[in-house]
Amino acid sequence: MTTPIVEMDGDEMTRIIWKWIKDILILPYVDLKSEYYDLGLPYRDETNDQVTIDSANATLKYGVAIKCATITPNAQRVEEYNLKEMWKSPNGTIRAVLDGTVFRAPVLVDGITPYIPTWTKPITIARHAYGDIYKAVDTRAGKGKAELVFNNIDGKEERIEVFEFKDNGILCGMHNTDKSIENFAKSCFNYALDQKMPLWFATKDTISKRYDHRFKDIFNEIYENEYKEKFEKAGIYYMYTLIDDVVARIVRSEGGIIWACKNYDGDVLSDMVATVYGSLAMMTSVLVSPTGVFEYEAAHGTVTKHYYNYLKGESTSTNPVATIFAWTGGLRKRGELDGNKELMEFADKLEKATLKTIEEGNMTGDLIPLFKKEGVVNKKLETKAFLEAIAKNIA
Ligand code: NAP
Ligand code: MG
């Protein structure tokens, strides 16, 4: 390696697995150069969360990071770890610095059939992570008139009647910004080019003629002006349609699509898509900034229950696949940016070895009920034994 990768360590069971992956699957094969940041909760607390900000800035500097799952503290965690403060979600902090969009993609295995069996290729959900109902104000209304009032800084006032209430009801005011939608669009177009997959985007612009329509227009403008030629060259396409139409098309599709969603749609549909593919433990996640900076991680959390069992000395069979794919995603991207073919080939090899291990019947407990292949007997392995089985398959 020439340029270091930004390595963000994390918490609980995934922290244990992080170290095992490094020791068993990375260090014996790669002359690893990494700039290490400990985002484990004790060190975040010690540094007043400065380490999280530093790690995000390092990601801006180097362009590629890999992140272990981390605890987002709540009241119970403040007590458990005796924290100075209820620190913010590290993912939120990093996203705010990188201004990125999160893409979630499943790892597909021959032998695990999605609940929609025609989905033979991955569907990646890109969720806009700013605004709409997540930054809305809402209230209850009684008899009276509700108005939408906008006071422009130049002194102009715009007033629109929302509804004349004859009786009790409810009200909501939400917003988004052109800048945030533009960044979302650029992250999606960049990611589609990176993956060489078509991009679909949908809203309800026929009903929401200004709000949702603005999303449609911004995507269109940016596509026409900055990405159309690149997409044509890459042999992919961009399609805009209505949200209800896209749901019907997705179900009938074979996958192989990047599906850009408004904030609420992404919240709801990413859980549906993840479930259809079988397991949260097989879902990867990458944060892509509008300028093309990448941060790879697993979509799941720190698997607390397994960690407490591990601390008691009990055997754990926690699935490391999504975390392995965070490593391979990051190393492959680093290789691509540095023109380091060997590193890219190693990432491919490690992914193939991981899938081969499962397809031969060796897997963690969560996959046992999902995996069915003729002539293969499923065997449940502890996490470490599973990682060692993968190492044996690295040709
Ligand atoms: P979780 O860690 O994803 O685990 C929820 C349950 O899903 C587990 O108890 C386990 O089910 C199953 N599971 C998840 N990943 C698995 C894996 N790799 N292998 C096998 N089973 C797996 O979610 P959580 O319990 O809600 O959250 C725990 C902590 O993680 C919280 O402190 C939260 O803040 C944090 N978190 C971090 C991130 C992140 O950093 N990106 C994301 C989400 C949550 P069984 O117990 O039934 O085996
Ligand atoms: Mg959700």
Side-chain angles (χ1 to χ4, degrees):
M1 289 180 68
T2 46
T3 320
I5 196 156
V6 177
E7 178 185 346
M8 304 169 174
D9 207 344
D11 288 298
E12 299 195 312
M13 202 59 220
T14 41
R15 186 183 181 93
I16 307 291
I17 290 176
W18 190 264
K19 170 101 175 40
W20 286 343
I21 291 175
K22 259 175 95 168
D23 288 345
I24 299 169
L25 297 177
I26 307 292
L27 295 176
Y29 306 93
V30 180
D31 175 22
L32 181 71
K33 280 206 171 61
S34 78
E35 199 164 289
Y36 178 89
Y37 292 87
D38 183 0
L39 301 199
L41 191 48
Y43 195 64
R44 271 184 275 150
D45 193 49
E46 197 182 315
T47 61
N48 298 326
D49 211 22
Q50 185 60 37
V51 65
T52 308
I53 295 162
D54 292 347
S55 73
N57 285 327
T59 308
L60 281 181
K61 176 175 165 195
Y62 292 113
V64 186
I66 37 174
K67 181 180 168 291
C68 179
T70 45
I71 293 170
T72 298
N74 53 17
Q76 182 262 319
R77 297 297 198 169
V78 171
E79 199 172 305
E80 182 182 357
Y81 283 82
N82 192 18
L83 301 178
K84 294 183 219 162
E85 231 180 81
M86 199 187 290
W87 305 109
K88 283 192 219 154
S89 150
N91 287 346
T93 303
I94 295 165
R95 201 163 9 183
V97 174
L98 302 187
D99 194 9
T101 299
V102 174
F103 297 82
R104 282 180 153 204
V107 175
L108 302 192
V109 177
D110 187 18
I112 298 179
T113 308
Y115 288 102
I116 297 176
T118 51
W119 286 8
T120 52
K121 296 178 187 169
I123 292 169
T124 300
I125 294 241
R127 173 181 170 189
H128 185 209
Y130 178 82
D132 302 351
I133 60 162
Y134 302 87
K135 277 224 180 281
V137 289
D138 54 5
T139 186
R140 293 185 45 182
K143 190 170 190 296
K145 186 158 89 176
E147 289 182 317
L148 191 62
V149 182
F150 176 63
N151 289 305
N152 199 308
I153 193 133
D154 65 16
K156 254 191 267 155
E157 186 191 86
E158 194 185 352
R159 226 165 234 280
I160 304 167
E161 182 179 319
V162 176
F163 192 65
E164 178 94 49
F165 287 91
K166 304 274 182 296
D167 207 336
N168 291 344
I170 40 181
L171 265 172
C172 166
M174 61 184 192
H175 81 280
N176 223 299
T177 68
D178 282 11
K179 189 79 218 160
S180 173
I181 301 166
E182 282 163 25
N183 285 343
F184 173 49
K186 284 181 190 172
S187 296
C188 290
F189 290 128
N190 284 338
Y191 190 72
L193 283 171
D194 184 68
Q195 296 290 304
K196 298 205 171 37
M197 272 191 205
L199 177 70
W200 292 8
F201 180 45
T203 72
K204 195 71 183 176
D205 67 281
T206 45
I207 299 298
S208 175
K209 289 188 196 306
R210 295 217 169 73
Y211 199 103
D212 276 17
H213 212 287
R214 189 72 194 130
F215 280 82
K216 175 182 177 181
D217 288 345
I218 288 175
F219 266 72
N220 253 336
E221 270 164 41
I222 293 178
Y223 178 68
E224 291 293 330
N225 295 335
E226 297 174 41
Y227 289 94
K228 195 172 181 202
E229 266 174 47
K230 290 181 198 161
F231 266 53
E232 281 166 3
K233 244 193 216 154
I236 56 176
Y237 63 91
Y238 166 61
M239 179 181 79
Y240 177 85
T241 182
L242 289 168
I243 186 71
D244 34 359
D245 179 47
V246 88
V247 165
R249 282 174 193 258
I250 283 278
V251 170
R252 291 194 307 262
S253 80
E254 55 166 15
I257 295 149
I258 294 158
W259 183 8
C261 293
K262 283 182 63 199
N263 210 347
Y264 178 81
D265 298 338
D267 185 353
V268 175
L269 294 165
S270 63
D271 283 15
M272 187 202 71
V273 169
T275 306
V276 172
Y277 280 110
S279 168
L280 185 61
M282 300 291 277
M283 188 60 72
T284 64
S285 176
V286 53
L287 177 68
V288 182
S289 86
T291 54
V293 165
F294 293 75
E295 183 234 293
Y296 295 83
E297 68 171 335
H300 60 77
T302 58
V303 212
T304 311
K305 273 194 233 156
H306 295 213
Y307 181 59
Y308 291 156
N309 292 338
Y310 167 84
L311 289 180
K312 280 188 270 176
E314 288 168 18
S315 89
T316 53
S317 184
T318 315
N319 189 335
V321 170
T323 308
I324 294 172
F325 274 66
W327 273 92
T328 54
L331 292 177
R332 183 184 295 106
K333 177 52 75 180
R334 190 68 269 164
E336 199 183 303
L337 295 176
D338 294 349
N340 185 342
K341 259 205 168 152
E342 263 184 300
L343 193 58
M344 293 169 75
E345 279 166 14
F346 172 73
D348 292 345
K349 259 192 210 167
L350 178 50
E351 288 182 359
K352 279 206 190 102
T354 304
L355 299 181
K356 183 165 180 245
T357 306
I358 300 171
E359 284 160 12
E360 287 170 350
N362 297 309
M363 63 199 79
T364 47
D366 57 310
L367 298 183
I368 296 281
L370 303 174
F371 185 89
K372 280 179 194 72
K373 205 169 175 190
E374 237 186 67
V376 178
V377 184
N378 299 2
K379 192 170 153 212
K380 177 177 164 179
L381 298 181
E382 288 179 25
T383 308
K384 207 168 177 186
F386 177 62
L387 295 172
E388 280 156 359
I390 294 172
K392 285 206 189 103
N393 274 332
I394 298 178

mmCIF file of all heavy atoms in Angstrom, residues 312-328:
data_model
loop_
_atom_site.group_PDB
_atom_site.id
_atom_site.type_symbol
_atom_site.label_atom_id
_atom_site.label_comp_id
_atom_site.label_asym_id
_atom_site.label_seq_id
_atom_site.Cartn_x
_atom_site.Cartn_y
_atom_site.Cartn_z
ATOM 1 N N LYS A 312 -18.803 -13.434 29.177
ATOM 2 C CA LYS A 312 -19.022 -14.508 30.153
ATOM 3 C C LYS A 312 -18.244 -15.771 29.780
ATOM 4 O O LYS A 312 -18.366 -16.804 30.439
ATOM 5 C CB LYS A 312 -20.518 -14.850 30.225
ATOM 6 C CG LYS A 312 -21.309 -13.852 31.095
ATOM 7 C CD LYS A 312 -22.745 -14.323 31.306
ATOM 8 C CE LYS A 312 -23.653 -13.803 30.214
ATOM 9 N NZ LYS A 312 -25.028 -14.266 30.248
ATOM 10 N N GLY A 313 -17.523 -15.678 28.655
ATOM 11 C CA GLY A 313 -16.730 -16.825 28.221
ATOM 12 C C GLY A 313 -17.516 -17.819 27.383
ATOM 13 O O GLY A 313 -17.030 -18.899 27.064
ATOM 14 N N GLU A 314 -18.767 -17.464 27.032
ATOM 15 C CA GLU A 314 -19.563 -18.381 26.203
ATOM 16 C C GLU A 314 -19.115 -18.277 24.748
ATOM 17 O O GLU A 314 -18.583 -17.254 24.325
ATOM 18 C CB GLU A 314 -21.055 -18.015 26.319
ATOM 19 C CG GLU A 314 -21.627 -18.396 27.669
ATOM 20 C CD GLU A 314 -23.003 -17.798 27.915
ATOM 21 O OE1 GLU A 314 -23.660 -17.385 26.944
ATOM 22 O OE2 GLU A 314 -23.399 -17.731 29.083
ATOM 23 N N SER A 315 -19.370 -19.328 23.986
ATOM 24 C CA SER A 315 -18.969 -19.303 22.578
ATOM 25 C C SER A 315 -19.952 -18.418 21.803
ATOM 26 O O SER A 315 -21.145 -18.401 22.080
ATOM 27 C CB SER A 315 -18.966 -20.709 22.002
ATOM 28 O OG SER A 315 -20.228 -21.031 21.482
ATOM 29 N N THR A 316 -19.423 -17.653 20.863
ATOM 30 C CA THR A 316 -20.298 -16.780 20.072
ATOM 31 C C THR A 316 -20.116 -17.100 18.598
ATOM 32 O O THR A 316 -19.024 -17.384 18.137
ATOM 33 C CB THR A 316 -19.947 -15.296 20.279
ATOM 34 O OG1 THR A 316 -18.553 -15.131 20.032
ATOM 35 C CG2 THR A 316 -20.287 -14.822 21.668
ATOM 36 N N SER A 317 -21.239 -17.033 17.909
ATOM 37 C CA SER A 317 -21.207 -17.280 16.471
ATOM 38 C C SER A 317 -21.778 -16.050 15.790
ATOM 39 O O SER A 317 -22.859 -16.078 15.223
ATOM 40 C CB SER A 317 -22.018 -18.545 16.159
ATOM 41 O OG SER A 317 -21.929 -18.855 14.793
ATOM 42 N N THR A 318 -21.050 -14.951 15.894
ATOM 43 C CA THR A 318 -21.493 -13.681 15.312
ATOM 44 C C THR A 318 -20.999 -13.599 13.873
ATOM 45 O O THR A 318 -19.857 -13.957 13.590
ATOM 46 C CB THR A 318 -20.900 -12.506 16.117
ATOM 47 O OG1 THR A 318 -21.061 -12.782 17.505
ATOM 48 C CG2 THR A 318 -21.574 -11.197 15.754
ATOM 49 N N ASN A 319 -21.845 -13.126 12.999
ATOM 50 C CA ASN A 319 -21.523 -13.108 11.565
ATOM 51 C C ASN A 319 -20.601 -11.925 11.213
ATOM 52 O O ASN A 319 -21.001 -10.768 11.367
ATOM 53 C CB ASN A 319 -22.844 -13.020 10.788
ATOM 54 C CG ASN A 319 -22.640 -13.218 9.304
ATOM 55 O OD1 ASN A 319 -21.556 -12.966 8.777
ATOM 56 N ND2 ASN A 319 -23.684 -13.664 8.630
ATOM 57 N N PRO A 320 -19.387 -12.204 10.730
ATOM 58 C CA PRO A 320 -18.458 -11.116 10.424
ATOM 59 C C PRO A 320 -18.497 -10.656 8.962
ATOM 60 O O PRO A 320 -17.688 -9.829 8.557
ATOM 61 C CB PRO A 320 -17.097 -11.773 10.715
ATOM 62 C CG PRO A 320 -17.297 -13.202 10.299
ATOM 63 C CD PRO A 320 -18.751 -13.532 10.569
ATOM 64 N N VAL A 321 -19.431 -11.210 8.157
ATOM 65 C CA VAL A 321 -19.356 -11.002 6.698
ATOM 66 C C VAL A 321 -19.442 -9.519 6.310
ATOM 67 O O VAL A 321 -18.638 -9.024 5.520
ATOM 68 C CB VAL A 321 -20.438 -11.833 5.958
ATOM 69 C CG1 VAL A 321 -20.524 -11.439 4.487
ATOM 70 C CG2 VAL A 321 -20.117 -13.323 6.079
ATOM 71 N N ALA A 322 -20.400 -8.793 6.879
ATOM 72 C CA ALA A 322 -20.551 -7.384 6.487
ATOM 73 C C ALA A 322 -19.305 -6.583 6.874
ATOM 74 O O ALA A 322 -18.903 -5.667 6.158
ATOM 75 C CB ALA A 322 -21.800 -6.786 7.131
ATOM 76 N N THR A 323 -18.687 -6.948 8.004
ATOM 77 C CA THR A 323 -17.463 -6.241 8.411
ATOM 78 C C THR A 323 -16.291 -6.611 7.493
ATOM 79 O O THR A 323 -15.484 -5.748 7.130
ATOM 80 C CB THR A 323 -17.139 -6.541 9.888
ATOM 81 O OG1 THR A 323 -18.302 -6.275 10.689
ATOM 82 C CG2 THR A 323 -15.998 -5.679 10.393
ATOM 83 N N ILE A 324 -16.215 -7.876 7.086
ATOM 84 C CA ILE A 324 -15.176 -8.271 6.114
ATOM 85 C C ILE A 324 -15.350 -7.465 4.821
ATOM 86 O O ILE A 324 -14.392 -6.947 4.245
ATOM 87 C CB ILE A 324 -15.253 -9.783 5.806
ATOM 88 C CG1 ILE A 324 -14.897 -10.602 7.045
ATOM 89 C CG2 ILE A 324 -14.330 -10.148 4.636
ATOM 90 C CD1 ILE A 324 -15.131 -12.106 6.894
ATOM 91 N N PHE A 325 -16.619 -7.336 4.381
ATOM 92 C CA PHE A 325 -16.873 -6.607 3.128
ATOM 93 C C PHE A 325 -16.630 -5.099 3.281
ATOM 94 O O PHE A 325 -16.390 -4.413 2.290
ATOM 95 C CB PHE A 325 -18.289 -6.903 2.596
ATOM 96 C CG PHE A 325 -18.337 -8.156 1.751
ATOM 97 C CD1 PHE A 325 -18.095 -9.405 2.319
ATOM 98 C CD2 PHE A 325 -18.603 -8.102 0.387
ATOM 99 C CE1 PHE A 325 -18.112 -10.568 1.544
ATOM 100 C CE2 PHE A 325 -18.623 -9.257 -0.400
ATOM 101 C CZ PHE A 325 -18.390 -10.495 0.180
ATOM 102 N N ALA A 326 -16.687 -4.587 4.505
ATOM 103 C CA ALA A 326 -16.281 -3.186 4.712
ATOM 104 C C ALA A 326 -14.781 -3.070 4.436
ATOM 105 O O ALA A 326 -14.320 -2.146 3.758
ATOM 106 C CB ALA A 326 -16.624 -2.743 6.129
ATOM 107 N N TRP A 327 -14.022 -4.032 4.945
ATOM 108 C CA TRP A 327 -12.569 -4.045 4.704
ATOM 109 C C TRP A 327 -12.259 -4.180 3.210
ATOM 110 O O TRP A 327 -11.465 -3.415 2.664
ATOM 111 C CB TRP A 327 -11.897 -5.205 5.459
ATOM 112 C CG TRP A 327 -11.519 -4.856 6.867
ATOM 113 C CD1 TRP A 327 -12.279 -5.038 7.989
ATOM 114 C CD2 TRP A 327 -10.298 -4.245 7.309
ATOM 115 N NE1 TRP A 327 -11.604 -4.581 9.095
ATOM 116 C CE2 TRP A 327 -10.387 -4.097 8.716
ATOM 117 C CE3 TRP A 327 -9.133 -3.812 6.665
ATOM 118 C CZ2 TRP A 327 -9.363 -3.526 9.479
ATOM 119 C CZ3 TRP A 327 -8.104 -3.248 7.425
ATOM 120 C CH2 TRP A 327 -8.231 -3.114 8.811
ATOM 121 N N THR A 328 -12.918 -5.144 2.550
ATOM 122 C CA THR A 328 -12.600 -5.356 1.129
ATOM 123 C C THR A 328 -13.044 -4.156 0.290
ATOM 124 O O THR A 328 -12.332 -3.762 -0.632
ATOM 125 C CB THR A 328 -13.267 -6.642 0.584
ATOM 126 O OG1 THR A 328 -14.670 -6.588 0.851
ATOM 127 C CG2 THR A 328 -12.665 -7.888 1.202
#
